[in-house]
Amino acid sequence: QVQLVESGGGLVQPGGSLRLSCAASGSFSSINSMGWYRQATGLQRELVATATTGGSTDYEDSVKGRFTISRDNAKNTVYLQMNSLKPEDTAVYMCNADLRQRGWSVYTRHWGKGTLVTVSS
């Protein structure tokens, strides 16, 4: 069984910063990409940022220059540093990981339950 657990969400004022963390645990042999998605009330889930094991990253246009994704591969953890937060960044942020479970030959995508980020004065 695989678990992804996010932490670090909360209430922050516009212009503030938050750092989200997501740790993967359980029975798996390797992780390929890890990433963050978000879903605001009434809207579809959207990609925020992704990072491969090799260090390649990709960002949604509206967060470029403000958000930074990073990984600690030894800890199976992905982070999202969010700076200059705006009210429109308010959403539930969910992490995912493409990983290979022990005994499996393919990678499958797993999701965390999400952490709420609210940007408001």
Side-chain angles (χ1 to χ4, degrees), residues 31-36 47-59 68-73 77-80 96-98:
I31 301 178
N32 189 2
S33 71
M34 300 184 79
W36 290 93
L47 172 68
V48 177
T50 60
T52 67
T53 303
S56 297
T57 58
D58 191 24
Y59 295 91
T68 302
I69 189 170
S70 62
R71 288 176 58 171
D72 184 334
N73 293 327
T77 299
V78 62
Y79 305 96
L80 187 68
N96 68 26
D98 293 337

Side-chain angles (χ1 to χ4, degrees), residues 48-111:
V48 177
T50 60
T52 67
T53 303
S56 297
T57 58
D58 191 24
Y59 295 91
E60 194 270 330
D61 286 345
S62 69
V63 308
K64 287 180 180 177
R66 300 188 298 122
F67 291 9
T68 302
I69 189 170
S70 62
R71 288 176 58 171
D72 184 334
N73 293 327
K75 295 181 178 180
N76 298 318
T77 299
V78 62
Y79 305 96
L80 187 68
Q81 177 66 43
M82 305 185 293
N83 300 327
S84 303
L85 282 161
K86 304 175 181 179
E88 50 264 42
D89 294 318
T90 296
V92 174
Y93 284 71
M94 297 158 282
C95 73
N96 68 26
D98 293 337
L99 54 83
R100 185 168 60 193
Q101 294 178 261
R102 294 191 191 281
W104 290 45
S105 61
V106 297
Y107 285 83
T108 52
R109 177 158 292 184
H110 297 257
W111 292 86

Side-chain angles (χ1 to χ4, degrees), residues 38-53:
R38 66 186 179 186
Q39 186 167 19
T41 302
L43 298 179
Q44 290 188 332
R45 184 171 58 188
E46 65 174 358
L47 172 68
V48 177
T50 60
T52 67
T53 303

